[in-house]
Amino acid sequence: MENRKVLNSVLVKPAGPDCNLACDYCFYLQKAAMFGEQKVHRMSDEILKEMIRQIMRGGSGQISFGWQGGEPTLMGLDFYKQAVEYQSKYGAPGQVVGNGLQTNGILIDDNWASFLRTAKFLVGLSLDGPQHVHDKYRKYLSGKSSWSQVSRARDVMLARGVEVNALVVVNDYSVRFVDEIYEYHKTNGLNYMQFIPCVEPDPVNPAKAAPYTVSAEAYGDFLCRLFDLWHNDFENGKPTTSVRWFDSLFYTYVGYTAPECTLLPECGIYVVVEHNGDVYSCDFFVDPEWKLGNIMTGQITDMLNSPLQQKFGEVKVTKPPECYKCKWLGHCYGGCPKDRQGDPANNGSNHFCISYQRFFEYADERLRKLAADWKTGQGQNMPAEQPETTKQQYANVGRNDKCPCGSGKKYKNCCGRV
């Protein structure tokens, strides 16, 4: 079929919702109730092998595996060594595979760091900032601080040459400390940062937002100040730090498709595989109504192209009424459906709509200037997707080769990163 999608990205939750922390704002711990009386959730070797076989055999020339949780390091190091072996075994000549690990860092030691460096994993480390920010919500079940262990994991990985990004949840507390968080990560060697705004229903009264949810007004101010910090760190017209949302947003300013799914016109471009082989539409929608099948009884590419996955993608296509008259629609496309108030399928307003309007009014002129500079070759370090006619240039590019876009940077630090 002409419009049949080819899988190029998959999120895997090999330990399901299991975690060795008990973060207040975690939305995934509650998923344990979906798996009955089972207390420990681990992906078997049989499921791992079949999953990778299907993905490598039926996927595109560039495949990205995102290993998430819960806490994926609970699987142990041998699990990922085996995963890499299966990727090599079932991959086709010239096929490029990338692995990303999102971790809280608690179990990371020298052995883990050595493997991650050798296997070229990109690591997203959940570190919200300095201790008072991080420990506000990211603690052990006992209430004990986790900051020192996570900071140690950062230092171990950086010392071993692992590529590490900072994953920062912006909540009602951390939103007040944008300068401190940004400088903390930059000072400690994490120049690649991803900021994730928190909005969750209250566990007691789901009709209300949880107390740790960041308000739209506060998040709008946060984005504006963060943009100033990022933009002020430019040297010779080029960024010295990376903020993933700004990087992704820039694609829309130069007329290309953004790599971040929240900035796409519709959802459904990837799938999620749970520890038991069940496949879902999105990691924010691991719910029975969005279960596409199981890897042991069906084909993952068929699930990606199933009517149910198409229906899921259409949830975002039908946007809240205010989106259709908003001048910024071509940049945000209504945001992520999970942030819609009430049932996402009912087209409620996005919780962060005010945030984005405030940000675009504030930063649009400078973003347009950066886009103009990039198009004239003055800002070549800014990431931007290449047109379809040149994508073959990327097929056999090594992560340490120079990026084909002409930036002068290594591929892994330019187009290959996003």
Side-chain angles (χ1 to χ4, degrees):
M1 293 187 295
E2 287 186 13
N3 296 323
R4 188 172 173 83
K5 298 175 185 175
V6 178
L7 190 68
N8 57 30
S9 179
V10 61
L11 292 183
V12 188
K13 295 183 176 287
D18 296 357
C19 191
N20 45 9
L21 290 182
C23 305
D24 291 344
Y25 52 59
C26 180
F27 72 93
Y28 214 75
L29 286 175
Q30 61 183 311
K31 300 300 179 182
M34 293 178 55
F35 307 112
E37 298 299 319
Q38 185 180 0
K39 299 299 182 183
V40 178
H41 310 89
R42 300 289 186 270
M43 179 175 283
S44 69
D45 182 73
E46 181 185 22
I47 292 175
L48 174 67
K49 182 178 181 179
E50 177 61 18
M51 176 188 71
I52 291 179
R53 186 192 69 80
Q54 286 193 30
I55 293 170
M56 300 304 294
R57 295 278 175 86
S60 69
Q62 291 183 317
I63 301 290
S64 173
F65 288 80
W67 305 92
Q68 298 187 3
E71 175 48 44
T73 60
L74 291 174
M75 294 301 302
L77 190 50
D78 288 343
F79 175 86
Y80 294 97
K81 291 179 178 178
Q82 185 65 71
V84 171
E85 287 186 20
Y86 286 146
Q87 290 170 349
S88 178
K89 177 180 180 179
Y90 294 115
Q95 194 173 28
V96 179
V97 61
N99 287 287
L101 179 75
Q102 182 174 324
T103 177
N104 60 30
I106 299 300
L107 298 179
I108 299 296
D109 57 16
D110 283 332
N111 290 332
W112 269 100
S114 295
F115 166 77
L116 294 169
R117 171 67 181 88
T118 301
K120 300 179 181 178
F121 272 57
L122 175 63
V123 177
L125 181 65
S126 295
L127 180 55
D128 282 350
Q131 184 168 8
H132 75 96
V133 174
H134 179 87
D135 281 346
K136 176 68 176 178
Y137 293 120
R138 296 191 63 82
K139 297 180 239 185
Y140 289 94
L141 184 61
S142 65
K144 176 186 172 183
S145 164
S146 68
W147 179 81
S148 60
Q149 288 93 331
V150 182
S151 300
R152 172 198 51 79
R154 173 200 62 209
D155 296 339
V156 168
M157 288 190 286
L158 290 178
R160 289 283 187 174
V162 180
E163 295 181 60
V164 187
N165 292 359
L167 299 182
V168 181
V169 174
V170 184
N171 52 63
D172 69 313
Y173 183 76
S174 62
V175 74
R176 313 176 208 170
F177 304 102
V178 57
D179 290 67
E180 192 175 347
I181 295 169
Y182 180 86
E183 293 299 329
Y184 170 79
H185 286 312
K186 190 174 74 167
T187 300
N188 286 283
L190 297 182
N191 291 319
Y192 291 86
M193 310 174 204
Q194 181 177 352
F195 295 88
I196 307 161
C198 177
V199 53
E200 293 293 332
D202 189 294
V204 178
N205 183 3
K208 296 173 57 179
Y212 41 77
T213 292
V214 60
S215 72
E217 294 79 5
Y219 186 57
D221 292 340
F222 181 95
L223 285 176
C224 293
R225 179 55 186 160
L226 180 63
F227 184 80
D228 284 342
L229 294 169
W230 173 76
H231 194 264
N232 290 342
D233 272 343
F234 274 42
E235 292 180 3
N236 300 318
K238 301 172 184 177
T240 60
T241 61
S242 169
V243 174
R244 185 170 187 257
W245 194 70
F246 296 158
D247 290 347
S248 297
L249 185 64
F250 185 77
Y251 282 65
T252 69
Y253 272 84
V254 294
Y256 295 142
T257 301
E260 187 172 326
C261 61
T262 63
L263 299 176
L264 297 178
E266 64 179 270
C267 299
I269 62 170
Y270 73 96
V271 294
V272 177
V273 183
E274 256 288 350
H275 70 286
N276 61 356
D278 287 345
V279 180
Y280 294 88
S281 296
C282 170
D283 62 324
F284 288 112
F285 293 90
V286 175
D287 298 305
E289 66 177 305
W290 298 117
K291 180 181 173 180
L292 303 174
N294 187 282
I295 203 75
M296 302 305 291
T297 57
Q299 294 297 309
I300 196 167
T301 53
D302 291 340
M303 299 177 207
L304 178 68
N305 289 278
S306 66
L308 183 59
Q309 185 69 345
Q310 181 179 352
K311 178 182 178 182
F312 176 76
E314 291 171 352
V315 168
K316 185 173 183 180
V317 172
T318 306
K319 299 174 177 59
E322 60 267 25
C323 287
Y324 296 100
K325 56 185 179 182
C326 178
K327 64 180 179 179
W328 310 116
L329 179 59
H331 294 301
C332 85
Y333 290 102
C336 182
K338 77 173 180 64
D339 297 330
R340 292 180 182 176
Q341 298 168 6
D343 182 357
N346 289 336
N347 306 322
S349 297
N350 190 300
H351 177 81
F352 296 112
C353 181
I354 295 173
S355 314
Y356 298 139
Q357 290 186 21
R358 164 106 166 84
F359 170 78
F360 285 120
E361 292 288 353
Y362 185 78
D364 176 66
E365 184 176 347
R366 279 178 285 176
L367 283 167
R368 285 190 285 110
K369 174 65 166 56
L370 290 173
D373 289 346
W374 183 86
K375 290 178 180 179
T376 57
Q378 299 177 43
Q380 291 183 347
N381 276 41
M382 292 299 297
E385 185 176 275
Q386 300 301 300
E388 291 292 330
T389 55
T390 66
K391 282 193 174 181
Q392 64 267 25
Q393 297 176 24
Y394 291 80
N396 298 306
V397 179
R399 288 169 60 74
N400 289 304
D401 295 341
K402 284 192 174 181
C403 189
C405 77
S407 68
K409 298 178 71 174
K410 290 182 179 180
Y411 176 64
K412 66 183 183 182
N413 292 328
C414 191
C415 297
R417 175 169 286 272
V418 295

